[in-house]
Amino acid sequence: MGFLVKALRFLVSSVLLTAVLAGCANIESMRSSGEFIGQMVLADLETFQCIDSVFIGSDFRESQIQELRALSHEVLSEALTASGYRAVAADGDFCVRASWIKRLSYYPGSFDSVDGPSVALRRRSHSKSPVAVRVSLTVEVYECGTDRLIWHAKLPNIFDAIQYDERRVSRSLQRAMRNFPPRNGSLVK
């Protein structure tokens, strides 16, 4: 009987530990990546336009600037179209813009990296310096007529500059738009 009790305790402990670890692995997906500024009636927003990306900080290579502009426009347009908004070339109800920041910073928090917490921790433990050049992303949504900021998502230290690639850029933009609400006419605070 004692063996059965010990085996059952081991099984229960294993299941609980697995649940906790699985929950930790999914924390990144639960983090909020955007918020409304003030109050906005989504029913008033039907069309959008992507405006040119902004580049701040350390020098971006010209090839990176071109790629970031194209990917920002493509991914942001896809995300908003999938949420029920319609893209227009001019005079949209709201404008969306990506700001890419490249600067020297201390190691990011475990959940900042677009690659997930385990990759961020592993990369941090292999480095001799706590400082590196990192890329941050801010996506902002403005009312086109008034230029009033209505929503933003800030993703600090999303990846190390040395890790720059198209996949990380696209995933970063997708993560920024994750919590932008679909067009459904509700009031958002």
Side-chain angles (χ1 to χ4, degrees):
M1 191 71 164
F3 173 75
L4 189 57
V5 170
K6 287 181 182 180
L8 188 58
R9 283 183 186 163
F10 178 76
L11 180 63
V12 169
S13 298
S14 297
V15 168
L16 288 175
L17 181 61
T18 302
V20 168
L21 292 175
C24 290
N26 290 320
I27 286 176
E28 182 226 347
S29 65
M30 297 185 309
R31 289 176 53 135
S32 174
S33 60
E35 63 183 357
F36 274 89
I37 311 299
Q39 201 173 51
M40 189 69 215
V41 179
L42 288 178
D44 295 343
L45 304 178
E46 182 179 333
T47 60
F48 72 92
Q49 66 189 76
C50 289
I51 53 179
D52 202 15
S53 297
V54 174
F55 302 92
I56 302 166
S58 300
D59 291 335
F60 285 91
R61 284 183 260 143
E62 188 58 35
S63 61
Q64 287 177 333
I65 289 173
Q66 296 307 317
E67 183 174 49
L68 287 168
R69 278 189 178 129
L71 285 171
S72 295
H73 186 275
E74 177 186 331
V75 174
L76 294 175
S77 292
E78 286 174 2
L80 290 169
T81 301
S83 292
Y85 301 97
R86 187 171 43 90
V88 294
D91 299 324
D93 296 325
F94 65 94
C95 304
V96 61
R97 173 179 54 213
S99 297
W100 293 96
I101 302 112
K102 187 175 171 183
R103 65 176 170 236
L104 196 63
S105 69
Y106 288 99
Y107 270 106
S110 299
F111 299 99
D112 290 342
S113 174
V114 73
D115 296 320
S118 60
V119 174
L121 289 171
R122 192 168 43 249
R123 187 163 176 79
R124 181 170 29 190
S125 67
H126 287 30
S127 179
K128 293 183 186 341
S129 173
V131 178
V133 176
R134 294 200 172 72
V135 177
S136 297
L137 169 65
T138 301
V139 174
E140 297 170 321
V141 174
Y142 297 89
E143 250 182 332
C144 287
T146 64
D147 287 337
R148 180 175 68 100
L149 179 66
I150 58 175
W151 185 88
H152 71 243
K154 294 184 178 193
L155 302 174
N157 303 321
I158 198 77
F159 56 85
D160 289 2
I162 196 169
Q163 296 176 305
Y164 177 93
D165 64 21
E166 183 178 326
R167 182 182 60 83
R168 280 189 181 88
V169 169
S170 294
R171 286 178 52 213
S172 298
L173 289 159
Q174 290 163 353
R175 182 172 167 186
M177 295 305 292
R178 182 183 314 154
N179 293 329
F180 194 80
R183 187 176 187 286
N184 63 7
S186 63
L187 182 69
V188 178
K189 286 189 176 188

